[in-house]
């Protein structure tokens, strides 16, 4: 799991590997007791563990510091992070919450380098279940996730006030849903991969409507401009055939890889 999509692939780490200290072929160079029931070990690989042990593996509570600056502090069970804990990357990204068998699992909060935050359910290091993500650009998604992508019912609110409520699939608006623009325009109907496709009704703020079977750029065989990159929905012309329809894009951080 990469802590952020801007990080190079070479810097990405699998959280399970991070939370399971790599095996050392030799006995630790140093082991000293730091408090009753707790010891500190410096490993040949340069990592340091400080906490309680069962046999020769972390068990109970402890802190593991990797030589590259990553750190986990919290509860352990038979050598794996299990229970409540906090993992931090040297870049400043953090995860705090529940772990199971060395993975982020349960409920937790991830804060990315640029300020993106996710609070909600996790499964095997991935956003999975219900959760809220606040993007650094001001957008907010609240709803269901599957394997790090929006899936099922969810609400997406753009920082400019536009809002979509409805179905998602593989991180994109797909299925039935309603998009309401800040200026009062509204589209309700079918979506596919982020754009209207199939039966739907577009209602302008003045009450005029266009309905029918939507394709990429047509509705009822009348040309409608679809611009995903802008939001210039301020045409006051009462003739609906000449009005512009602009469909805003969602933040695509998940789609870029996380």
């Amino acid at each position: 799991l990469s802590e952020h999509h801007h990080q190079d692939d070479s810097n990405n780490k699998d959280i399970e590997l991070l939370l399971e200290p790599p095996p050392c072929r030799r006995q630790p160079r140093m082991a000293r007791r730091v408090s009753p029931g707790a010891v500190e070990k410096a490993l040949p690989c340069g990592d340091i563990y400080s906490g309680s042990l069962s046999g020769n593996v972390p068990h109970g509570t402890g802190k593991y510091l990797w030589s590259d600056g990553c750190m986990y502090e919290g509860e352990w069970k038979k050598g794996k992070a299990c229970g409540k804990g906090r993992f931090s990357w040297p870049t400043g990204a953090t995860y705090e919450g529940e772990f199971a068998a060395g993975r982020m699992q349960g409920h937790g909060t991830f804060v990315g380098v640029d300020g993106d935050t996710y609070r909600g359910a996790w499964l095997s290091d991935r956003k999975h279940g219900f959760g809220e993500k606040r993007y650094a650009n001001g957008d907010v998604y609240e709803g269901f996730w599957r394997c790090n992508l929006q899936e099922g019912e969810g609400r997406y609110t753009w920082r400019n006030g536009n809002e979509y409520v409805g179905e998602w699939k593989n991180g994109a608006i797909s299925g039935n849903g309603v998009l309401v623009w800040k200026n009062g325009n509204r589209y309700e109907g079918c979506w596919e991969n982020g754009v209207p496709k199939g039966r739907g009704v577009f209602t302008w703020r003045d009450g005029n409507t266009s309905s029918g079977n939507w394709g990429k750029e047509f509705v009822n065989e009348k040309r409608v401009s679809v611009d995903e990159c802008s939001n210039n929905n301020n045409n006051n012309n009462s003739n609906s055939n000449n009005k512009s329809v602009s469909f805003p894009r969602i933040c695509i951080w998940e789609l870029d890889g996380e």
Side-chain angles (χ1 to χ4, degrees):
L1 174 69
S2 168
E3 68 267 26
H4 197 276
H5 75 287
H6 291 304
Q7 298 295 315
D8 294 334
D9 292 339
S10 61
N11 293 330
N12 294 345
K13 290 178 176 291
D14 187 299
I15 195 72
E16 183 179 20
L17 295 179
L18 290 177
L19 298 178
E20 295 180 17
C24 295
R25 298 178 182 177
R26 306 186 302 273
Q27 291 296 317
R29 295 175 182 172
M30 179 180 64
R32 64 186 180 90
R33 190 169 299 278
V34 293
S35 65
V39 298
E40 182 177 280
K41 286 188 174 184
L43 307 177
C45 47
D47 300 346
I48 299 174
Y49 173 77
S50 177
S52 57
L53 298 173
S54 176
N56 198 38
V57 297
H59 187 85
T61 60
K63 178 171 66 176
Y64 196 98
L65 177 63
W66 282 261
S67 58
D68 63 3
C70 291
M71 183 178 71
Y72 170 79
E73 185 170 11
E75 298 176 336
W76 297 78
K77 184 176 181 180
K78 297 180 180 179
K80 295 183 179 181
C82 189
K84 294 183 179 180
R86 184 178 188 272
F87 190 92
S88 61
W89 286 263
T91 58
T94 62
Y95 168 85
E96 185 167 2
E98 297 175 325
F99 293 78
R103 293 178 179 269
M104 297 184 293
Q105 190 156 306
H107 188 276
T109 300
F110 176 86
V111 180
V113 177
D114 292 334
D116 297 289
T117 63
Y118 169 81
R119 294 179 176 88
W122 297 78
L123 179 66
S124 298
D125 303 336
R126 295 175 181 271
K127 297 186 289 292
H128 193 95
F130 186 85
E132 178 190 80
K133 176 142 184 202
R134 292 183 174 272
Y135 297 85
N137 70 351
D139 294 355
V140 179
Y141 172 81
E142 184 180 20
F144 289 91
W145 301 75
R146 182 176 182 273
C147 296
N148 263 358
L149 297 174
Q150 294 99 329
E151 182 89 15
E153 293 289 330
R155 178 192 303 269
Y156 195 102
T157 305
W158 284 263
R159 62 180 175 180
N160 64 4
N162 297 342
E163 182 178 81
Y164 169 82
V165 179
E167 297 178 329
W168 298 70
K169 184 176 181 180
N170 293 327
I173 295 173
S174 292
N176 294 314
V178 180
L179 175 63
V180 179
W181 282 260
K182 181 181 179 180
N183 65 6
N185 291 346
R186 173 189 177 97
Y187 171 80
E188 182 173 3
C190 298
W191 299 76
E192 184 176 304
N193 200 29
V195 295
K197 188 172 184 180
R199 299 294 299 180
V201 177
F202 189 94
T203 304
W204 278 268
R205 58 183 176 180
D206 60 11
N208 287 320
T209 63
S210 289
S211 63
N213 190 28
W214 286 68
K216 183 178 181 182
E217 294 181 321
F218 294 88
V219 55
N220 280 343
E221 298 183 353
K222 298 175 184 178
R223 187 63 178 259
V224 178
S225 173
V226 176
D227 178 10
E228 293 183 339
C229 301
S230 64
N231 188 29
N232 302 319
N233 304 305
N234 298 316
N235 193 335
N236 294 320
N237 189 339
S238 61
N239 182 357
S240 63
N241 293 348
N242 296 326
K243 291 187 175 181
S244 174
V245 181
S246 300
F247 292 90
R249 293 178 54 128
I250 67 169
C251 182
I252 57 174
W253 191 51
E254 280 77 24
L255 303 182
D256 288 339
E258 181 174 332

